[in-house]
Amino acid sequence: MKQGAYQETKIRNFHTLLERHPRARAWGETEGTGRQIAPPLRRDGLARPLTPQNSAWGRGSRRRRADHSGTTAATSFVACRRSTGERAAPAPAPEEPAGVTPAVVCIDGNEAAARVAHRLSELIAIYPITPASPMGELADAWSARGRANLWGSVPEVIEMQSEAGAAGVLHGAVLRGALATSFTASQGLLLMLPNMFKIAGELAPLVIHVAARAVATHALSIFGDHSDVMAARTTGFAMLCASSVQEAHDFAAVAHAVSLRARVPFLHFFDGFRTSHELGRVELLEDDDLVALVDEEAILAQRARRLTPDAPVIRGTAQNPDVFFQGREAVSPYYAAVPGIVEEVFARLAARTGRRHGLIDYLGAHDAERVLVLMGSGAGAAEEAIEALVARGERVGLVKLRLFRPFPTAALVAAVPATARAIAVLDRTKEPGAPGEPLYQDVVTAFAESLAAGARIPMPRIVGGRYGLGSKEFTPAMAKGVLDELSREAPLNHFTIGIVDDVSHTSLPWDRDFATDDEGVRALFFGLGSDGTVGAAKSTVQIIAKETALHAQGYFVYDSKKSGALTVSHIRFGPRPIRSTYQIERADFLSVHHFDLFERVDVLERATPGARLLVNSPHAPEQTWHRLPRDVQEQLLAKRIELWAIDADRVAREVGMGNRINTVMQPCFFALSGVLPRDRALEAIRRSIETAYARRGPPVVARNLAAVDRALGELHRVPVPERPTAAFPRRPVVPGDASPFVQRVTARLLEGKGDLLPVSALPADGTFPTGTARYEKRAIAGELPIWDPSICIDCGKCAMACPHAAIRMKVYAQADAPGSGFPSKPFRSREVEHCLLTIQVAPDDCTGCGVCVEVCPARSKSEVRHKALNMEPVAEHRERERECFESFLRIPQLDPVSLDPAIVKNAQTREPLFEFSGACAGCGETPYLKLLSQLFGDRVLIANATGCSSIFGGNLPTTPWTVDAAGRGPAWANSLFEDNAEFGFGMRLALEHHIGEARRLLAGFAPQIGEELARAILDEAGRGDAAIAAQRARIAELKRRLAGFDAPLARRLLSLCDDLVRKSVWLVGGDGWAYDIGAPGLDHVLASGRDVNVLVLDTQVYSNTGGQASKATPRAAVAKFAASGKSVPRKDLGLIASAYGHVYVAQVALGADDSQTLKAFLEADAWPGPSLVIGYSTCIAHGIDMSRSMAHQRDAVRSGFWPLWRYHPGSDPHQHPFQLDSRKRTLSVRAFAETEARFAMLLRSDRARAERLLALAQADADERWRHYTQLAGLERSVPQSTSPGPLAPPAPLVDESTAGEG
Amino acid sequence: MADLTTRYLGLALRTPLVASSSPLTGSLDGLRRLEDAGAAGVVLPSLFEEQLTHDAFAAHHALEVGAETFAEARDYLPQLESGDSGLDTYLELLAAAKRALGIPVVASLNGTTLGGWIDYARLLEQAGAAAVELNVYRIAADPAHASADLEAQDLELLRVVRAALRVPLAVKLSPFFTGLAHFARRVVAAGADGLVLFNRFYQPDLDLETLEVVPRLALSRSEDLRLPLRWIAILRRQVGASLAATSGVHGVEDVLKLLLAGADVTMLASALLERGPALVGELERGMASWLDAHEYESVAQMKGSMSQGAVPDPEAFERANYVRTLNSWSSRFRQ
């Protein structure tokens, strides 16, 4: 077949390439995650082949020039660079230095930058933030391992409480003469701004490396754009932009070297994710190279300036109007010198490595008429477009800006060919209200100044536009779209590219069929999180880079779920350096690692005709075809796709690898792609396994090797018939009864087609409906909990502990029973009679974590393993449970007034208004939030700090916060990480003001609407469900009566009167927020005495960003930034808060004592002052079997590691406010610790230290217990003020609340 | 004073008092204390292949779970800097004990795979073990497995390990064999230099509150020595290999009885845990004075003097004791 031949040709070409580039290879792992490809030999400083700048690009250009020679065409393509206005000669032909090979590794942009920064620093102050966290983690790991900097000392790496803290440390360190650096992004960079002005103002040299990321505006985005660095452009930092992984490595060194010489601090940035997380080949800078770049004299000068009492000076004076201005101007010469020094260091870099850069790099036609200007990773896509268009004879060019501050005005104007008629400046940020985005404004200014000075006449037309915000794709087609626009007589200014803007009509069209990445092979791997797909794809890239002369690139895309997440790995490899800084749109090879993904994703949309498809299929080869949905079959046939299958799950299971199918799938990829001869590929995989898992122990290596050995024997070509055979199509994305918004918008996001939504589809202010998680039927569980009513004891523990609200409990009148066959049992209760109980699983929302079965205490009397809930294979139960769940949802909810919520089983009959989040299976945080929603959900405002809970709670496409039948539910908002206490406090203050205002208006309006009703509303002071229901009824009556009045006062009262029904304000966040970055704000809000409730979901680490240590991290636990075990005890936040005396505090662990947790929530809500509930939250970062999440909580309490207590303030002078709720330990801390990898790993890696720290951890627990038992004996009261004020809450209302009033 | 020396697995020991596997022999400090107290040799706790494999995968799982799932976190725990799943620690302890102690250090191994048995046994030898004790046991719970097949597997395993090692090899046996004497002889024929009688298993218990099966290891009591006593007496003249008695050695009388029955060494664990290493000295002094008082010249002289072939009523060791006891009791009753 023709397409088959196409594939074969490609494969042959690779082998030819391999033969042409035999390379001596030295094996061995380098210090980072990357693997070394060739030995780090000394080099002669000459250029080498196969680097983006000096080889293929250059060869390509020479070839093209040769092609054009003899023609009279005005267009010729060059790769030339101009930096200071002088047109440089085309790069000299690269020469192969004899016998010298550079050290080449396959790493991502973060590691590329960190490898330089660590070697050039003495002090590194860090704080985790996506996507920059890995830089700090690597630096910390290297220092922990004793890796030295260029001068032989080990850099100190210190984690601070926030980026503001890190910036302060940098400032102090650099004034003290140290070489300091940090890594950050987005809000983190913004927190550094105040200090950055100081640092720059004092000419203190240092470098901050930024993986540039969007700043949160209408929504948070963890993805890449330049809005953060653009917010820093007024600080006085020099700004250097790298646009590839290699450049992130090179420019990091340039930034450090120039900063030291120029004394101007540098912000070195590259695009978040696209560069920071892209895996690519990097030629390493050796120590010798760094020595050549960094001036020893500059270091000594920096040392000489350090603050020392031996030669005292004063910095940071306050200046008066007489001299401040002049002092500010005094720095100007230093800035003037920066561009020259950058060029000089670039030249040194070129001399050492052959990699040439200018302040501005120009690529394209000498006589270009249309020119793009941009900086960052988008340059890669733009380069491809320019190259393709120039090859077609188009007169186009590209200006890549490297140095953004100080802005190289003259160099920029000089770089643009005089023939340029139109320039488009592309900004990766939006500055609403500005005359244009920053880079555009700068370019316009540069040309306008040039024009005014008479140097540039006529001035080209300059337009600006936005692209790529929040990692929106930027492709060669889009670059071409912009260039096409420039061809028009009056190109659109202030355009957007990459979206459809049907609101302001700014968007440019682009030709989606224009593609330039047609060289080499493009492969897509579809996997699920934790199945090893991404890891295998990374390893594949490393192997290709290591084993072949091919260039390889890996980029990895995740969905926003933490459980059952879809991952797509994009891998390119080919003979030339890969500049494709965008996702693969047309793949030659596709690998689907879970059969069910065909239901979830349009896998074959991006397949090229004749592509190969590898499927992990649980079905026999001959059955695999028939199990594909019909539309998939149709695509397969239409595109003549070759289908291959392997039952990788079975193979992985049989060799003892569980669900990790990576080492089964990887050999299949190599076998089918032909990138390497089979035997060599298998050998390379084996070696990579031996290296990667050596530290995990021989059994792990052995089983992975066994998987590799088995794989190819199980791989089968699946015969494809002439026509589709399946009758079933893919499931609809959302059910037909979903709201119009869900149908129109959410459904597109769920399909992975959000890119296609126009601007008009999105809310302008970031306001979204809640309750959409229920439409996302992910069906990811392999087993479901199935209820046996004959054993159930009605305890409600399953529903209480379920992290996803997928186990539901309903109590209902017999008359409401759905009918025969629907499982139910009589509900045991003194409060309601003749009611039925049903425990029901939501089969498509359950993650199969098994927590409910683990906590179920009811066992069969005749067979102990059989409980009231049992995990059973989903295939046997899904259909039936779907029907039952539908019936279950239709059963009316029992009036909450009927059952006292202070009893666990009663509380669990209430409807959860937090359901089906994307949190990890077995998450320890979500049960607390669900409980919160069950108790107060219809009247709660939630301020949620950034972190896991804001991601599983608020990350699109869907939201788990939902509404009850009356349409009421939690009102949720996230502001930032650091300000959540203040944010929620603001809500509280506004609410109180509105309550006061409503009361004032109501009192004034009483004669008109009825004194009795008004008094009843105003006098209402109850807190239970009955009181709230009664007040709601009164307010409904009030509204009815108000409707008759057309007065302004009536309308104002109408707008506020709902606030007269009691509301709760809860401030929710993790320990990163409450213990660290948000601690001052939280402290201030607690001190205020106002009625806010704080829920800290304490996982004892920064869970969301991957387990970095916080001040909640306990002694002896291993965490990132505490890789050798935390040496100091955790902060006792509860005790600190209780010191105020007026703060209600509870330390709870739902898995240890659910009644105590429930009591604490109710008491906290009832306490009219501030309340703080700290919930111990098990997390995958603890390294535990998450199905036993609740048992770990139990043991944490039994060992005294996490004592349960409540501090209940009150006015009784003989009150004992501190109540210990757990008993003296029956387990040692060590016995508890040994069951969690975060502790046990240290026993593996450093037993002596582990023993020492665990002994101290035991002492911490014992001492804490001793302290608490003494506190339990203390009498303490809150002094009563005569008039109610914020610092004198009224008498405690605990008795009322726990009695429940119902 | 009587000569207390003995030979076990070809090793010359100062006395027959050896500390067997217990938490005390799991630390260098404990080992030093035992030597100082007079132990003639020590057996380290068993290296369990199953445990090593389990721990390696537990750590592997902990490092992989959640990894590469979510854009903000590549993984959730720092990568291991060293991969000690317990093996390195064990080998370090063994090597350190070898350096620090003047008495022989015996390593103990419980494997689950043939490769594991060979590889780990070699590592133990390389780390300086004076001898290796193979802790061969399994619970023969599968009705498909005939006892002859299981025994054949054990013997094959033993031959392979024997071929891989130069140091002496002891085999710690379970008492649960239909033909123990026959099997013991085959074990010796397959290359065992000694037999350790017997293994004490963790026996499952039931927790009445949680309705869970929980493992329990009860410390031995003096009465427990009857089982090894009988079999040592029976085997003494049947097999040409060293015999070690373990289980129930608590007092000096226990030691003496086992020596009389034919043990080359008596191994202590429970008694040491209860009473501390000083017990060894106490036993040694007690032995010496008993030997002196009873005019024995040496341990060698008394060793096996009451083994089955050496007593006037050899059948006594083969009688079902409870019958005799009942008889004697009932006869008294009749009087």
Side-chain angles (χ1 to χ4, degrees), chain A residues 1228-1291:
Chain A
S1228 67
V1229 168
R1230 183 183 177 125
F1232 161 69
E1234 280 179 343
T1235 64
E1236 306 204 340
R1238 58 176 167 154
F1239 299 104
M1241 269 175 49
L1242 193 58
L1243 283 164
R1244 286 169 67 98
S1245 60
D1246 188 348
R1247 180 167 285 270
R1249 182 175 164 82
E1251 298 287 0
R1252 219 164 43 242
L1253 289 177
L1254 280 171
L1256 284 169
Q1258 182 66 63
D1260 291 338
D1262 293 344
E1263 184 52 33
R1264 200 179 302 121
W1265 185 262
R1266 196 164 77 95
H1267 188 184
Y1268 287 174
T1269 48
Q1270 293 172 72
L1271 288 177
L1274 280 185
E1275 289 182 356
R1276 194 180 182 197
S1277 68
V1278 182
Q1280 277 285 52
S1281 159
T1282 47
S1283 63
L1287 276 172

Side-chain angles (χ1 to χ4, degrees), chain A residues 115-122 149-151 177-180 205-207 209 249-263 285-303 305 341-342 344-350 352:
Chain A
R115 276 177 181 249
V116 168
H118 187 262
R119 276 187 288 169
L120 293 180
S121 298
E122 294 171 322
N149 62 20
L150 196 58
W151 305 280
L179 307 179
L206 58 78
V207 181
H209 300 269
H249 189 63
D250 292 344
F251 289 14
V254 171
H256 279 267
V258 177
S259 180
L260 275 167
R261 275 182 61 192
R263 294 190 60 187
L285 293 170
E286 304 299 336
D287 285 356
D288 290 351
D289 299 326
L290 296 182
V291 168
L293 296 183
V294 179
D295 279 358
E296 183 71 11
E297 286 306 314
I299 295 168
L300 295 178
Q302 161 68 354
R303 294 257 164 82
R305 286 188 295 266
I341 301 173
V342 172
E344 196 194 311
V345 176
F346 270 150
R348 288 192 203 176
L349 177 75
R352 297 284 310 179

Side-chain angles (χ1 to χ4, degrees), chain A residues 853-896:
Chain A
V853 172
E854 278 289 319
V855 299
C856 177
R859 293 176 182 274
S860 157
K861 293 283 183 276
S862 55
E863 188 177 335
V864 166
R865 72 171 171 183
H866 186 71
K867 292 179 154 189
L869 278 173
N870 302 284
M871 296 306 288
E872 295 183 19
V874 69
E876 297 166 20
H877 293 276
R878 179 174 281 150
E879 289 311 317
R880 162 100 180 114
E881 293 302 320
R882 274 180 181 161
E883 287 167 25
C884 286
F885 186 56
E886 286 299 313
S887 304
F888 179 89
L889 288 177
R890 284 193 292 270
I891 302 172
Q893 201 69 35
L894 194 72
D895 185 350

Side-chain angles (χ1 to χ4, degrees), chain A residues 266-390:
Chain A
F266 262 68
L267 198 156
H268 165 232
F269 69 100
F270 44 87
D271 288 353
F273 283 102
R274 189 61 250 182
T275 304
S276 69
H277 283 56
E278 178 184 305
L279 206 53
R281 285 169 58 115
V282 172
E283 285 192 24
L284 287 183
L285 293 170
E286 304 299 336
D287 285 356
D288 290 351
D289 299 326
L290 296 182
V291 168
L293 296 183
V294 179
D295 279 358
E296 183 71 11
E297 286 306 314
I299 295 168
L300 295 178
Q302 161 68 354
R303 294 257 164 82
R305 286 188 295 266
R306 76 188 191 276
L307 281 176
T308 169
D310 296 326
V313 292
I314 183 170
R315 312 284 304 259
T317 55
Q319 297 181 350
N320 296 320
D322 51 353
V323 298
F324 180 89
F325 191 174
Q326 301 94 301
R328 191 75 190 102
E329 293 300 323
V331 300
S332 298
Y334 292 86
Y335 285 86
V338 168
I341 301 173
V342 172
E343 287 195 303
E344 196 194 311
V345 176
F346 270 150
R348 288 192 203 176
L349 177 75
R352 297 284 310 179
T353 68
R355 296 189 290 275
R356 293 173 189 284
H357 304 285
L359 304 178
I360 305 283
D361 283 340
Y362 177 79
L363 296 152
H366 274 309
D367 52 356
E369 293 183 331
R370 291 166 289 146
V371 174
L372 293 180
V373 179
L374 53 65
M375 59 180 167
S377 65
E383 259 186 67
E384 283 189 359
I386 297 286
E387 186 184 11
L389 294 173
V390 168

